[in-house]
Amino acid sequence: MTALLEVRGLGKSYPGTVALHPTSLWFNAGEITGIMGKNGAGKSTLIRLIAGAESPSVGCIMVDGRPVRFSKTSDAAAAGVAVVHQELSDLPRATVAENVLLGDLPRRAGQFIDGARRDALARAALDRVGLATDPRSRLADLSVADRRLVMIARALRKDARILILDEPTASLNEPEIARLHDLLRVLRGEGRAILYITHRMQEVDMLCDRVVVLRDGHLVADGPIDTCRGERLISIIAGQSLAQKSSVSAAAPLGARLTLENLDPFATGEPFELAVRRGEVLGLTGLAGAGRTELFEQIMGLGRSTVTLRETDERIELRSPRAAVAAGVSIVPEDRRGLGIIAPFDLAGNITAASMRRSRLFRGVPLLSRRIDHRRGGEMIARLGIRAIGPSAGIGSLSGGNQQKAIIARSLTVGSRLLLLDEPTHGVDVDAKAEIYGLVRKAAADGVAVILVSSDLPELERLADRVVVLANGRPVAELTGPDIAEKTMLRHASA
Amino acid sequence: MTTVETRGPALAGSTPALSRVIGILQRYALPIAILLAVALFGSLRPDAFLTWRNATAVLTLAAPMLVAALGLTVVLAMGEIDLSLGSAIGLGGALAVCAMSFFGTPWPVAIVLGLAAGAAAGLLTGAMVVRLGANSLIITLGMASVLTGVEFLMTDQRTIYTGIAQGYIALGQSEVLGLNLQVWIAGLIAICVHALLWHTEWGRGMYAAGENPEAAILAGLPVSALRIAGFVIAGLGAAIAGILLTAQTASAFSNAGQAFLLPAYAAAFLGSTASSDGRFTAFGTVLAVFFIGIVQTGLTMVQLSTGAISLVQGALLIGAVLLSRLGRKERR
């Protein structure tokens, strides 16, 4: 039997990195394949190549035994490949019917939309996924689970024989997950090949016939689910971690305890507390959608309820980012380009952006001295080893790792009491990573309390003194010492 | 096992020399355009165009426009839009003139009243945009109509030229060190706006708010207050422009400010091409106002018809912007 979809030696490289080493895989009709791996393992790259969103550097794709070339996503769609993305890629303001029939609305008398046929076609497509919603209702009024079903309905209407679902159960509850799985089993029975990307062991166990594991861009396991489950699967995903924790973790004496009260990232009305001591690096991890970023936003005063910072007798309400910065709380946001760098400023200006007051020409007058600004920027550039031509370098001309160091420098100039780092080494190369680890350790040694959000588990193994695992916006486990291991963290996060 | 080869980004197919020329053209498009305009009109009408008299006349005419465009530059730097600029110019000038003409208010008080009206309009706009999260485009479109309405209610759409104090008129018609006083005022304001945007915490915050509001907020900058302040500055700039304009003509005629709205935008956007990253700067706006003023005067001197002037002016504006875009595309 020929496989419905085959990838042969398929690989993708970008300048400087290899996202996916040449990989060969078969996907059969009537089979659900779980695709697993940590963030950055190469899952998304594989999917993007199969979906035609990117062209492979090497290798080829075969559908029904015939080689195909996808130079754009519509080529893949024409060959019967449909992707339901993790982020909803739909039109929330349009109706359900318009979303299902997007790009393929029935017309009559030229360009006029045939409303009756549109609704009938949409109705039929929705029935296939077991969704009883009125096709004329607005998509934004549907739950996330239903919106995913609408996306699947769209894929089925285009008669997708190869259906790829990327983390389809993120932010779904148990009954919704069960309903989705029932649907997928029906679709399997119809002879479709289903590629199911997930982080959750349990789902793979319940649903999939076969599991494929990627790690660091390599295919590391491919076999029937019976041969590969539980602890064994976790070990395969985690791999051997080479990094030695002792290499960066310094046994600095811990200082005063900071307590963050009234944390409630998802506004559930049941707040909790987190404590972190000066000199300590507290790691926070959890699956996508576990509320890590929302938690940081709340601490910075952007949440619905206000967090209180307590240190010995001092209580500070973190009402706004201004109040947080004034209290010595600063953040290095996750999306560096979107949230961190301020392009019109030079490097020094980016470093001093949160502490411009100290670059004043005269006390009490908000006139800036370029000289002082550049001197202060230069000090941080030297201290953090930022590679740039000087304080006046354009921030955009720096490498990702050095931009990240500049944003960390900005946080440190605030005279931080509490430093929040959100995925600080996301998208930076290995050397810059090691330097950033050094910086974080040094900041802690200087008496700063650090909270580090990371989905890079080896990074937490290496850097964190203590790890709190989040799920659904709440802490579910606290790990210290030898328990800070990839396997343990994965088990708690995917439970 | 085969290794995947790593490829660098594709190089754009142009020689280094050519791309350097394009780089220079793009970077200095505006100064080059000014030189070309001066050379062109100078060679067409050397006796009339290349004179000190004409130079001062160009500067004097450009002064109110410059002040209005500078205020607008601040708003644009913050990534906002102010369409009520023209109406604020009209209201600021008309209010000062009406106060003197109807009530015999002393001229310094009349000026303060005009400025206060502009600032108040800016404050109101800013509060609505920032506190209530409304879109500045539509709010200022509404404010434009409101402010023009206030002006018309006050003046009954008549031109007012009686009872204007001599001191007020002197603002627009006296000379200091060989240049009209207005030129000095506009120059001073240009320096102030430049200092504000480049050398103060506020200016940095304004650019940051325009470029990357999330980053600015997370860095603890007072983004809301700065946004409101930006609209107040634009309102003040418009009111000053209105006062200079009415002083220059010694009269307040109906809806005088509207004619300034689009040229002010043209100047600010054209000026933004003078910086390498397309940023709105005081310096760029000054250059652009000069360019527009020179072209306007020159075209009038070579005695083209009104239609031809409008056509050539538009074409030059588009040409200058396109010149600055040269070579941008291939960098993407």
Side-chain angles (χ1 to χ4, degrees):
Chain A
M1 192 179 102
T2 358
L4 183 48
L5 172 72
E6 179 184 348
V7 301
R8 215 177 260 184
L10 196 69
K12 178 75 186 176
S13 58
Y14 300 101
T17 58
V18 180
L20 183 68
H21 291 272
T23 298
S24 296
L25 281 168
W26 292 261
F27 299 99
N28 297 316
E31 188 180 61
I32 302 180
T33 308
I35 300 181
M36 304 197 75
K38 293 176 290 188
N39 292 354
K43 293 170 298 182
S44 307
T45 305
L46 177 65
I47 297 317
R48 280 203 298 273
L49 293 174
I50 296 176
E54 284 188 55
S55 306
S57 306
V58 293
C60 67
I61 300 171
M62 329 254 284
V63 175
D64 286 328
R66 279 188 299 275
V68 285
R69 267 185 67 97
F70 300 151
S71 52
K72 49 187 185 297
T73 48
S74 55
D75 294 347
V81 178
V83 185
V84 177
H85 291 281
Q86 181 184 354
E87 307 86 31
L88 297 169
S89 53
D90 50 16
L91 309 177
R93 294 195 206 194
T95 64
V96 171
E98 283 163 345
N99 270 284
V100 172
L101 303 173
L102 190 67
D104 188 26
L105 284 165
R107 300 200 184 93
R108 60 170 180 199
Q111 286 299 307
F112 295 97
I113 305 289
D114 186 339
R117 258 187 73 211
R118 174 195 61 200
D119 293 347
L121 286 173
R123 180 72 271 147
L126 294 173
D127 286 342
R128 296 224 38 212
V129 298
L131 200 57
T133 322
D134 179 3
R136 287 165 183 266
S137 54
R138 256 169 36 115
L139 192 75
D141 297 334
L142 271 59
S143 68
V144 174
D146 285 353
R147 281 168 77 168
R148 269 192 233 281
L149 291 177
V150 169
M151 286 304 100
I152 295 174
R154 182 204 286 179
L156 295 180
R157 236 197 73 73
K158 292 183 180 158
D159 201 32
R161 293 180 303 150
I162 299 155
L163 189 61
I164 302 171
L165 299 117
D166 191 0
E167 294 273 353
T169 52
S171 52
L172 262 57
N173 62 29
E174 290 300 326
E176 288 169 340
I177 292 173
R179 187 155 63 115
L180 179 71
H181 284 183
D182 287 341
L183 172 64
L184 294 179
R185 289 189 189 101
V186 171
L187 297 177
R188 168 174 63 187
E190 292 171 358
R192 294 174 208 274
I194 297 172
L195 280 61
Y196 191 90
I197 295 126
T198 185
H199 277 113
R200 307 190 200 207
M201 311 289 155
Q202 211 187 341
E203 289 185 21
V204 176
D205 218 42
M206 281 168 7
L207 181 72
C208 298
D209 306 300
R210 181 174 144 220
V211 62
V212 164
V213 182
L214 295 171
R215 194 201 308 139
D216 300 331
H218 290 281
L219 176 70
V220 290
D222 177 6
I225 188 71
D226 310 326
T227 63
C228 199
R229 53 181 13 142
E231 284 294 321
R232 190 172 136 66
L233 184 53
I234 290 179
S235 317
I236 295 172
I237 294 170
Q240 197 64 44
S241 70
L242 300 167
Q244 289 303 309
K245 189 178 157 77
S246 56
S247 59
V248 280
S249 172
L254 296 184
R257 173 191 294 272
L258 305 182
T259 311
L260 293 158
E261 295 175 351
N262 198 27
L263 294 169
D264 189 7
F266 289 165
T268 56
E270 294 169 37
F272 60 93
E273 281 187 12
L274 271 183
V276 53
R277 296 180 67 176
R278 283 179 182 264
E280 183 187 36
V281 177
L282 170 65
L284 274 185
T285 192
L287 299 178
R292 300 164 303 179
T293 298
E294 290 82 355
L295 187 73
F296 272 8
E297 282 175 358
Q298 206 204 354
I299 297 173
M300 288 306 292
L302 292 170
R304 264 190 256 169
S305 52
T306 302
V307 173
T308 308
L309 173 70
R310 208 177 66 216
E311 182 175 5
T312 56
D313 301 334
E314 201 181 354
R315 290 176 67 89
I316 306 170
E317 303 267 315
L318 306 176
R319 284 179 205 287
S320 66
R322 259 174 99 60
V325 169
V329 179
S330 61
I331 183 168
V332 176
E334 176 178 15
D335 178 1
R336 190 167 54 240
R337 249 172 220 296
L339 299 177
I341 67 168
I342 303 172
F345 300 173
D346 58 16
L347 174 56
N350 267 280
I351 291 173
T352 59
S355 59
M356 282 190 266
R357 246 161 229 277
R358 275 183 274 144
S359 296
R360 283 179 178 179
L361 196 55
F362 310 106
R363 252 163 194 253
V365 186
L367 263 179
L368 293 175
S369 156
R370 221 177 137 70
R371 196 176 48 81
I372 300 176
D373 206 44
H374 277 189
R375 198 196 63 220
R376 291 183 53 223
E379 282 166 10
M380 292 309 280
I381 292 169
R383 197 174 127 198
L384 271 58
I386 299 172
R387 269 181 296 282
I389 51 168
S392 58
I395 186 79
S397 69
L398 271 60
S399 72
N402 282 299
Q403 286 183 359
Q404 187 68 306
K405 284 193 248 168
I407 307 301
I408 294 175
R410 178 194 299 168
S411 295
L412 293 176
T413 57
V414 181
S416 256
R417 184 197 307 244
L418 175 62
L419 180 61
L420 307 175
L421 299 166
D422 197 352
E423 302 284 359
T425 58
H426 198 188
V428 307
D429 64 42
V430 182
D431 295 337
K433 254 187 195 181
E435 287 179 24
I436 289 171
Y437 292 161
L439 288 183
V440 173
R441 263 293 144 211
K442 194 159 177 296
D446 290 345
V448 177
V450 180
I451 304 184
L452 166 74
V453 156
S454 183
S455 39
D456 184 353
L457 300 179
E459 176 166 303
L460 290 174
E461 269 187 12
R462 243 183 115 174
L463 207 51
D465 300 309
R466 188 158 59 93
V467 169
V468 167
V469 182
L470 288 182
N472 292 319
R474 308 196 62 79
V476 290
E478 185 175 325
L479 311 171
T480 48
D483 283 345
I484 306 180
E486 274 197 79
K487 280 191 206 174
T488 331
M489 289 189 278
L490 265 175
R491 192 177 323 109
H492 284 291
S494 14
Chain B
M1 198 164 120
T2 48
T3 49
V4 184
E5 67 173 309
T6 7
R7 265 181 257 150
L11 288 166
S14 64
T15 65
L18 179 64
S19 61
R20 192 149 72 215
V21 171
I22 288 175
I24 290 171
L25 282 180
Q26 178 243 309
R27 184 82 200 266
Y28 298 105
L30 201 46
I32 292 171
I34 291 177
L35 286 178
L36 286 178
V38 171
L40 175 73
F41 295 120
S43 61
L44 286 174
R45 295 292 311 273
D47 47 330
F49 191 82
L50 293 176
T51 60
W52 174 249
R53 246 177 78 95
N54 183 48
T56 56
V58 168
L59 291 178
T60 308
L61 276 176
M65 166 63 79
L66 178 57
V67 178
L70 285 167
L72 182 65
T73 303
V74 174
V75 172
L76 291 172
M78 297 187 308
E80 300 283 352
I81 286 221
D82 187 354
L83 292 177
S84 65
L85 194 78
S87 308
I89 294 173
L91 179 65
L95 184 68
V97 169
C98 285
M100 289 181 288
S101 182
F102 298 169
F103 307 107
T105 316
W107 66 269
V109 179
I111 287 177
V112 171
L113 282 176
L115 296 181
L123 186 64
L124 188 59
T125 307
M128 286 189 284
V129 171
V130 174
R131 295 283 169 216
L132 306 176
N135 182 319
S136 61
L137 182 92
I138 194 69
I139 287 288
T140 55
L141 194 60
M143 280 300 284
S145 189
V146 169
L147 298 182
T148 303
V150 174
E151 183 200 327
F152 285 3
L153 285 174
M154 229 165 33
T155 63
D156 223 2
Q157 281 182 269
R158 286 168 300 147
T159 301
I160 295 161
Y161 47 84
T162 53
I164 303 178
Q166 276 310 311
Y168 189 87
I169 294 169
L171 268 182
Q173 301 187 350
S174 54
E175 281 200 0
V176 178
L177 300 176
L179 283 176
N180 191 299
L181 179 59
Q182 302 215 349
V183 178
W184 294 109
I185 294 174
L188 185 68
I189 291 171
I191 291 169
C192 289
V193 171
H194 172 75
L196 169 80
L197 287 178
W198 272 113
H199 297 289
T200 69
E201 290 163 31
W202 300 323
R204 285 254 186 114
M206 284 168 173
Y207 276 127
E211 167 73 17
N212 196 336
E214 287 85 3
I217 290 169
L218 286 175
L221 300 177
V223 171
S224 301
L226 288 173
R227 279 219 175 113
I228 295 178
F231 280 106
V232 171
I233 290 169
L236 265 176
I240 296 172
I243 290 165
L244 294 183
L245 191 67
T246 49
Q248 219 170 63
T249 59
S251 63
F253 56 92
S254 183
N255 212 8
Q258 280 315 328
F260 283 75
L261 178 63
L262 293 179
Y265 272 88
F269 275 89
L270 184 57
S272 75
T273 64
S275 67
S276 57
D277 49 4
R279 198 177 333 172
F280 293 97
T281 60
F283 182 65
T285 301
V286 169
L287 282 184
V289 169
F290 280 163
F291 175 69
I292 292 173
I294 288 167
V295 167
Q296 206 156 20
T297 315
L299 288 176
T300 316
M301 273 187 183
V302 296
Q303 289 170 338
L304 291 178
S305 67
T306 317
I309 289 179
S310 175
L311 190 148
V312 173
Q313 234 178 325
L316 283 174
L317 183 65
I318 293 171
V321 173
L322 289 182
L323 192 62
S324 73
R325 297 299 307 174
L326 265 183
R328 287 263 163 106
K329 214 172 166 187
E330 66 177 349
R331 282 194 200 167
R332 291 254 160 94

